[in-house]
Amino acid sequence: MANQKPSQQQHPDALVRDDERLDERLNEGLDGRLHADVLDEYGFFKDPDLWTRDLALRLAAEMDIGELSETHWLVIDQVRSDYLDSGMLPVQPTLCHELQLDPDCILRLFGGPIDVWRLAGLPNPGEEARTYMENQEAPEGQGTPQVPR
């Protein structure tokens, strides 16, 4: 599926300086939306090392996902970890099973895999994987299912 390699880890001091510059760039926009220098044309992070939980919260608000629960973070953290370890898109039912959640946890919590991929701060997985993820999304017009999270 996704065959991009995870990016190299940066020195912690470099991440702090990058986070400060990133915060400055994010606050430059009048509407407070994530800047184009952080996200690509599809809304994926250009550099996974720029991801923070605060940015995920801002992005979730923009995506109308709502407040992120502990279960949301469990899935986000696992998707992020799986990608950074293997460079692969995790299989949804397997991921949900490993986390002891319902097989449709990604659809139920996020509306589909693209949204969790974006919230996890991961780069564009490529056309084939992106098309696969788009086909796993909630039907158009239904948005994220309104079920207890």
Side-chain angles (χ1 to χ4, degrees), residues 74-95:
L74 186 68
V75 173
I76 290 168
D77 290 341
Q78 188 64 47
V79 166
R80 186 169 172 79
S81 175
D82 285 354
Y83 173 79
L84 294 175
D85 289 345
S86 70
M88 300 291 289
L89 172 68
V91 177
Q92 291 180 66
T94 302
L95 174 80

Side-chain angles (χ1 to χ4, degrees), residues 18 21-29 35 37-38 50:
D18 285 346
R21 286 193 301 267
L22 179 60
D23 287 341
E24 290 172 13
R25 290 188 304 232
L26 293 175
N27 290 325
E28 288 175 2
H35 244 248
D37 59 341
V38 177
L50 294 177

Side-chain angles (χ1 to χ4, degrees), residues 9-132:
Q9 291 294 328
Q10 294 180 349
H11 187 275
D13 291 339
L15 289 177
V16 170
R17 286 191 298 277
D18 285 346
D19 286 347
E20 289 169 2
R21 286 193 301 267
L22 179 60
D23 287 341
E24 290 172 13
R25 290 188 304 232
L26 293 175
N27 290 325
E28 288 175 2
L30 293 176
D31 63 2
R33 295 181 63 82
L34 293 173
H35 244 248
D37 59 341
V38 177
L39 303 178
D40 72 7
E41 65 186 288
Y42 295 100
F44 297 101
F45 273 69
K46 292 179 180 178
D47 180 356
D49 290 334
L50 294 177
W51 180 88
T52 65
R53 284 180 174 256
D54 288 338
L55 290 177
L57 290 169
R58 288 182 68 174
L59 191 55
E62 287 186 10
M63 296 166 66
D64 291 326
I65 289 180
E67 187 174 333
L68 298 178
S69 68
E70 287 183 38
T71 305
H72 284 94
W73 286 117
L74 186 68
V75 173
I76 290 168
D77 290 341
Q78 188 64 47
V79 166
R80 186 169 172 79
S81 175
D82 285 354
Y83 173 79
L84 294 175
D85 289 345
S86 70
M88 300 291 289
L89 172 68
V91 177
Q92 291 180 66
T94 302
L95 174 80
C96 295
H97 177 75
E98 288 172 356
L99 297 173
Q100 299 178 355
L101 299 172
D102 294 330
D104 65 345
C105 72
I106 291 175
L107 181 64
R108 186 174 57 84
L109 291 168
F110 300 97
I114 285 182
D115 290 341
V116 70
W117 193 262
R118 288 178 177 136
L119 289 173
L122 300 176
N124 190 329
E127 184 177 354
E128 183 179 343
R130 197 175 60 247
T131 299
Y132 171 79

